[in-house]
């Protein structure tokens, strides 16, 4: 059997370092770019950000509705972007920011959210929410009742939607950041769980001897 | 039915088949094969094998979480060929632990499909390691060993793809179109996985060929300590 000389040992150490760096760095970079989107005042706007460290400026962004491109541009100095909601909304809108070097992040905005929660079609199947967010004939406790509450008109409903969006904006942003951090934490937890299991296995075998 | 299939395709990340998709006989068959593989591996377990399994299990755990969108599905590294060559049947517990953690921590795959997913990924690797491993280890040329390992690893990916497609088709013939499309997404991955295995084996043959031996005989173990 061939013995390792000093040069070969150095190569093994170098390879180990490269592998460790790749394992630790790849997922961090792959998931560190996040995209935040907000719907308000007939606009979709938001910004891209790196988890824990700044925002990309001058990065390419584009938006598609189904397969159709609806807007594109470059992010501002604060990583921001924005465009008017296309009319009519036929499908979910996907906003993508490409910073380069494989750092791409996308976010999907549901068509229903863009329509302001208004019914997608009118007619026998159409529904509307009352002022408590329930469907007609349903109370806030989920109990159906026969006498429905008066419906809101479209303008009121739109105003409420926009107000809710403004309130929810910071919360959604915070959720995005927490989601990205938790993913990295879970990843590291998994790796160290495996190492821990190996340690337990070795300890158990040692005890048997 | 088409809507159902489309939904399932978008929810199907590569070799991680989620819960509620496969029939009971397929789930039981996959679990049985995985259990036999794990049992064989645990019987042959030694102190040298445990950290090797842990390292490759952790590598597989991380590498297979990085998905690249590819058509209606997404692809990620499988490393089945390399793991099979280095660990032999030890690939079964290594893959099982990584898949369990991925299911629990990230919701990738499922708990009921753990056996099937383990079999789909580990079985081709184990077969490759057992059949072609000795030939690769005996090869004098590092380049030839790398080429053999790369080709074998690519075949492992295609075999995994075939097993995933077979699992879906056996569970419900309606999944046949989904299975065919999924199989196509494995082609680029086969090249990537083969290239990584080829480079890694080429390097290991030159610097530490013992790494490619899943289990060392006592004489070899003594010689490597000297």
């Amino acid at each position: 059997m061939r013995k390792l000389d000093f040069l070969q040992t150095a190569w093994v150490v170098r390879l180990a370092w490269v592998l460790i760096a790749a394992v630790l760095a790849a997922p961090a970079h792959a998931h560190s770019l996040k995209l935040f989107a907000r719907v308000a005042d007939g606009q979709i706007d938001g910004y891209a950000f790196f988890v824990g460290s700044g925002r990309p400026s001058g990065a390419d962004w584009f938006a598609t509705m189904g397969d159709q491109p609806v807007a594109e541009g470059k992010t501002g100095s604060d990583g921001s972007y924005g465009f008017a909601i296309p009319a009519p909304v036929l499908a979910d809108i996907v906003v993508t920011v490409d910073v380069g070097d494989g750092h791409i992040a996308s976010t999907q905005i549901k068509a229903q959210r863009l329509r302001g929660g208004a019914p997608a079609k009118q007619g026998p199947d159409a529904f509307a929410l009352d002022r408590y967010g329930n469907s007609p004939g349903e109370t806030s406790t989920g109990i159906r009742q026969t006498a429905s509450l008066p419906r809101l008109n479209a303008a009121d409903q739109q105003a409420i939607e926009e107000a809710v969006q403004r309130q929810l904006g910071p919360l959604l942003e915070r959720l995005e950041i927490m989601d990205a951090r938790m993913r990295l934490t879970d990843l590291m937890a998994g790796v160290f769980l495996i190492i821990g299991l190996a340690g337990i296995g070795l300890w158990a075998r040692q005890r048997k001897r | 039915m088409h809507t159902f299939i489309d939904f399932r395709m978008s929810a199907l990340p590569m070799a991680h088949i989620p819960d509620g998709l496969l029939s009971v006989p397929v789930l039981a068959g996959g679990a049985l094969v995985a259990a036999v593989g794990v049992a064989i591996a645990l019987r042959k377990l030694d102190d040298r094998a445990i950290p090797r399994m842990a390292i490759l299990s952790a590598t597989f755990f991380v590498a297979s979480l990085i998905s690249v969108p590819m058509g209606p599905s997404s692809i990620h590294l499988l490393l089945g060929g390399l793991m099979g060559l280095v660990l032999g049947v030890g690939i079964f517990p290594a893959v099982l632990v990584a898949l369990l953690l991925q299911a629990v921590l990230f919701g990738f795959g499922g708990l009921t499909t753990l056996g099937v997913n383990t079999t789909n990924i580990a079985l081709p690797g184990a077969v490759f390691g057992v059949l072609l491993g000795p030939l690769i280890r005996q090869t004098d040329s590092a380049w030839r060993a790398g080429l053999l390992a790369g080709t074998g690893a690519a075949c492992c990916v295609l075999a995994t793809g075939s097993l995933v497609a077979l699992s879906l088709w056996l569970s419900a013939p309606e999944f046949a179109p989904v299975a065919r499309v999924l199989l196509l997404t494995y082609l680029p991955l086969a090249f990537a996985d083969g290239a990584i295995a080829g480079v890694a084996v080429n390097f290991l043959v030159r610097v530490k060929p013992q790494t490619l031996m899943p289990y060392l005989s006592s004489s070899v173990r003594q010689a490597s300590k000297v």
Side-chain angles (χ1 to χ4, degrees):
Chain A
M1 184 54 59
R2 208 164 13 149
K3 277 176 62 179
L4 287 178
D5 59 20
F6 174 76
L7 191 64
Q8 288 173 336
T9 310
W11 265 105
V12 172
V13 172
R14 270 183 230 165
L15 180 70
W17 274 115
V18 169
L19 283 175
I20 290 167
V23 164
L24 290 176
H29 282 297
H31 302 291
S32 62
L33 181 68
K34 299 290 285 184
L35 194 56
F36 168 65
R38 189 178 62 152
V39 181
D41 302 329
Q43 287 257 328
I44 294 174
D45 56 25
Y47 52 84
F49 61 95
F50 292 105
V51 178
S53 60
R55 301 177 184 181
S57 65
D60 293 323
W61 67 266
F62 59 91
T64 54
M65 184 166 60
D67 294 332
Q68 298 296 317
V70 290
E72 62 179 350
K74 289 191 180 293
T75 57
S77 57
D78 57 351
S80 61
Y81 66 89
F83 59 96
I85 298 173
V89 176
L90 302 171
D92 298 348
I93 289 183
V94 177
V95 184
T96 304
V97 170
D98 185 353
V99 181
D101 299 328
H103 291 85
I104 299 173
S106 294
T107 188
Q108 186 178 31
I109 302 143
K110 292 281 179 193
Q112 196 174 6
R113 188 178 163 197
L114 296 169
R115 293 182 192 119
K121 56 177 181 178
Q122 297 296 328
D125 295 336
F127 67 92
L129 301 181
D130 63 22
R131 66 177 68 186
Y132 304 106
N134 299 317
S135 56
E138 189 177 351
T139 65
S140 58
T141 54
I143 302 167
R144 294 192 71 79
Q145 60 182 28
T146 49
S148 60
L149 291 161
R151 295 183 180 187
L152 293 175
N153 61 38
D156 287 347
Q157 218 166 31
Q158 185 68 25
I160 290 171
E161 286 292 334
E162 288 176 6
V164 169
Q165 285 291 339
R166 277 196 296 275
Q167 297 292 324
L168 282 180
L171 193 62
L172 291 172
E173 178 189 351
R174 183 75 186 149
L175 278 175
E176 288 282 354
I177 294 170
M178 283 176 66
D179 184 46
R181 281 195 179 146
M182 277 182 69
R183 192 177 164 82
L184 185 61
T185 309
D186 285 347
L187 191 73
M188 296 313 295
V191 170
F192 286 108
L193 261 171
I194 293 170
I195 294 170
L197 280 174
I200 291 170
L202 287 169
W203 173 78
R205 284 182 58 82
Q206 191 68 30
R207 266 178 68 91
K208 275 172 73 176
R209 291 196 196 115
Chain B
M1 193 65 212
H2 281 297
T3 311
F4 176 66
I5 291 173
D6 291 344
F7 165 73
R8 290 303 189 184
M9 281 177 75
S10 64
L12 201 64
M14 198 69 189
H16 297 65
I17 303 175
D19 289 324
L21 208 57
L22 301 180
S23 64
V24 173
V26 173
L27 290 173
L32 185 68
V33 175
V36 170
V38 170
I40 294 172
L42 292 182
R43 280 178 67 86
K44 299 175 90 172
L45 199 68
D46 59 19
D47 286 357
R48 178 177 174 269
I50 292 174
R52 287 157 57 86
M53 276 183 198
I55 289 169
L56 281 177
S57 181
T59 307
F60 169 77
F61 171 77
V62 174
S64 59
L65 281 175
I66 303 169
S67 297
V68 179
M70 177 71 67
S73 182
S74 61
I75 62 169
H76 56 74
L77 289 176
L78 289 172
L79 305 176
L82 187 62
M83 290 171 80
L85 195 61
V86 174
L87 299 177
V89 286
I91 186 178
F92 276 96
V95 169
L96 179 72
V97 168
L99 288 180
L100 175 66
L101 290 175
Q102 285 180 343
V104 172
L105 294 176
F106 299 104
F108 279 21
L111 291 176
T112 60
T113 55
L114 203 56
V116 175
N117 289 338
T118 302
T119 300
N120 290 347
I121 296 171
L123 186 63
V127 170
F128 165 63
V130 170
L131 294 182
L132 274 182
L135 183 66
I136 291 170
R137 284 174 213 118
Q138 285 166 9
T139 305
D140 291 330
S141 162
W143 290 104
R144 201 176 303 144
L147 189 65
L148 271 172
T151 309
C155 291
C156 282
V157 171
L158 296 177
T160 294
S162 304
L163 285 174
V164 172
L166 185 68
S167 306
L168 292 169
W169 181 73
L170 285 175
S171 296
E174 291 87 353
F175 284 134
V178 182
R180 271 197 293 272
V181 174
L182 264 179
L183 204 51
L184 283 176
T185 64
Y186 277 78
L187 287 173
L189 177 66
F191 284 105
D193 233 80
I196 288 174
V199 170
V201 168
N202 177 301
F203 178 78
L204 290 172
V205 164
R206 279 189 287 169
V207 298
K208 194 162 186 179
Q210 300 99 310
T211 309
L212 297 176
M213 295 179 181
Y215 305 99
L216 291 181
S217 62
S218 54
S219 58
V220 173
R221 210 176 300 152
Q222 285 299 325
S224 63
K225 281 180 184 173
V226 177

